[in-house]
Amino acid sequence: MGREGARTESVDHAASGRDRQDADDVIDSKGKERAPDENPTSTFSQRALGEDFAERRAKARERLDAVDPHKRAGGIEADPKRREWFEAVYALAEDDPAAVPWAHLEPRPLLEDWLAARSLVGLRALDVGCGLGDNAEALARAGAHVVAFDLVERAVQWARERFPQSEVDYQTADLFDAPSEWRGAFDLVHELYKLQALPEALLPDAARALAAFVAPGGTLLVISRARDDNEEMGGPPWPLARRDIEAFAVDGLRRVSLEDLPASGGLARHWRAEFRRDEAGG
């Protein structure tokens, strides 16, 4: 954040090769199944993790792909904001986290790595598309006062059930129709993987929606799978090109860092980018 002395340089690591593994399906950063770190505030049942976790997840992806209109022609018209599909994910999951493709059951490594280099004590943070809550909880452990939201009510309920003692304010909300009181209210806005689940036509609206949350002096952190500008890739999910990431410098936000992180340790190539809103009058 501007107040926390975040990096101002642009980092561009050469990405060698392409890992075609779907990053949403990676269970941990080493490609192995593992349980989350012990957390006394979580009631997540360890029985949900087992030797068949990866198998259950693969079968769930097949079921979900079969009902995803964006896997067929006319998908954008049928479900333009993918609301129906996101709701179907949680309805079909039947409380099995293996059936939620992005349920990592611990904070994402690229977020944890970013948090390790800074303090969020006293800052107001917004976690976009919180899912089952792991990333929101990581932000809270770093000292932030966190609001976390998801489009699907069942996701929010599930997060609350997993972390019943949490101080995170979990809410059901729509990125494109968010509460007016969130405008300019957050020192940190964290977006991880929601953008790559949206059709390209929605990205400009998403960029403006995210920018609207950022307070003066605040930061927008975007983490997403990456592709080259001229690289065609089927989806969903749709990895973002550099031009897509750079376009999030809108409505008073400026890009202060962009990391091109090569495929490594079971994770596909990623972007990690920071955007800053200058202090009022700065």
Side-chain angles (χ1 to χ4, degrees):
M1 285 50 41
R3 301 164 190 163
E4 298 299 317
R7 294 163 298 174
T8 58
E9 74 274 13
S10 175
V11 183
D12 189 0
H13 303 290
S16 58
R18 294 289 178 267
D19 187 339
R20 296 300 180 183
Q21 184 175 10
D22 187 340
D24 289 343
D25 289 343
V26 173
I27 298 175
D28 75 4
S29 61
K30 297 180 177 60
K32 299 178 181 178
E33 181 179 316
R34 76 174 158 174
D37 293 337
E38 290 296 325
N39 186 336
T41 65
S42 173
T43 60
F44 177 72
S45 173
Q46 295 300 314
R47 66 179 171 76
L49 294 174
E51 294 182 357
D52 65 339
F53 188 97
E55 180 181 353
R56 300 198 322 266
R57 172 148 292 181
K59 290 180 178 178
R61 283 308 295 250
E62 291 181 2
R63 293 195 301 270
L64 293 171
D65 285 349
V67 299
D68 188 347
H70 288 264
K71 292 290 186 180
R72 303 181 295 277
I76 293 179
E77 293 77 13
D79 189 11
K81 294 185 178 180
R82 307 204 73 209
R83 175 188 288 272
E84 293 181 9
W85 186 78
F86 284 125
E87 291 176 342
V89 168
Y90 289 97
L92 294 173
E94 297 181 340
D95 297 331
D96 181 6
V100 180
W102 45 85
H104 199 52
L105 306 180
E106 60 184 351
R108 290 287 178 162
L110 294 181
L111 173 61
E112 286 193 299
D113 175 64
W114 189 85
L115 289 173
R118 54 194 38 82
S119 171
L120 304 186
V121 173
L123 300 185
R124 302 161 294 172
L126 180 68
D127 187 40
V128 178
C130 64
L132 302 191
D134 295 283
N135 295 321
E137 296 297 322
L139 295 171
R141 286 193 296 273
H145 304 293
V146 182
V147 174
F149 77 93
D150 201 282
L151 179 65
V152 182
E153 183 176 1
R154 177 57 192 138
V156 173
Q157 293 173 344
W158 202 337
R160 290 171 178 162
E161 291 166 4
R162 292 187 64 212
F163 303 101
Q165 305 302 318
S166 175
E167 295 185 357
V168 174
D169 180 9
Y170 288 104
Q171 299 191 32
T172 303
D174 185 340
L175 172 64
F176 301 104
D177 189 22
S180 59
E181 60 267 26
W182 290 2
R183 186 173 185 86
F186 298 97
D187 304 300
L188 172 65
V189 177
H190 167 248
E191 180 338 87
L192 186 149
Y193 291 173
K194 180 176 177 62
L195 297 175
Q196 67 187 38
L198 297 176
E200 185 177 10
L202 287 181
L203 292 182
D205 288 342
R208 289 188 289 272
L210 292 171
F213 300 138
V214 181
T219 293
L220 167 64
L221 172 65
V222 176
I223 299 174
S224 173
R225 288 177 63 198
R227 65 177 176 87
D228 292 332
D229 282 341
N230 59 354
E231 180 181 1
E232 295 294 331
M233 185 170 286
W238 298 278
L240 300 187
R242 178 181 287 271
R243 62 173 178 269
D244 298 324
I245 288 289
E246 292 178 340
F248 280 80
V250 296
D251 295 348
L253 294 188
R254 58 183 176 84
R255 194 189 83 200
V256 295
S257 72
L258 176 58
E259 296 172 275
D260 186 351
L261 304 171
S264 175
L267 290 176
R269 179 188 174 199
H270 277 69
W271 303 115
R272 184 167 57 190
E274 295 177 45
F275 302 86
R276 180 86 38 77
R277 186 183 303 284
D278 291 334
E279 296 280 0

